[in-house]
Amino acid sequence: MLVHANSSSAGSPGDPVALATLTPTQMRVLRGVRSGLLNKQIAYDLGIAEATVKAHMTALMRKLNVRNRTQVAIAAQALAGQPIPANA
């Protein structure tokens, strides 16, 4: 029997299906990361605490099935051509 090391329900990195699972604030944080902003800058722009941005980053990494901020930025760039949900 073959067992995959990564058998989570998340898709591949940058999976367009993952875009539909993001909250509006997670989409805004994703845009900030894609623009190269620091967590502190994203927090200021969104009017939220830096700790809240960090929590959203953790959720983004899980939902996008990536392990670090650089991979989030790469996934964001891959998703840039995808339509943005109206509620974002």
Side-chain angles (χ1 to χ4, degrees):
M1 180 163 124
L2 180 63
V3 177
H4 294 284
N6 186 3
S7 60
S8 70
S9 60
S12 62
D15 185 354
V17 175
L19 189 62
T21 68
L22 302 182
T23 67
T25 304
Q26 288 170 349
M27 286 297 300
R28 292 182 194 106
V29 170
L30 187 65
R31 287 185 193 112
V33 172
R34 187 177 69 208
S35 297
L37 299 178
L38 301 172
N39 286 351
K40 187 179 226 176
Q41 294 168 312
I42 296 169
Y44 178 82
D45 288 349
L46 299 182
I48 59 178
E50 188 174 354
T52 305
V53 173
K54 289 178 183 180
H56 285 303
M57 283 298 297
T58 300
L60 283 167
M61 286 187 273
R62 182 177 32 81
K63 288 181 177 183
L64 297 174
N65 194 30
V66 298
R67 294 177 182 248
N68 59 48
R69 184 183 190 90
T70 300
Q71 291 177 337
V72 170
I74 292 168
Q77 200 60 37
L79 293 170
Q82 300 297 319
I84 305 292
N87 66 343

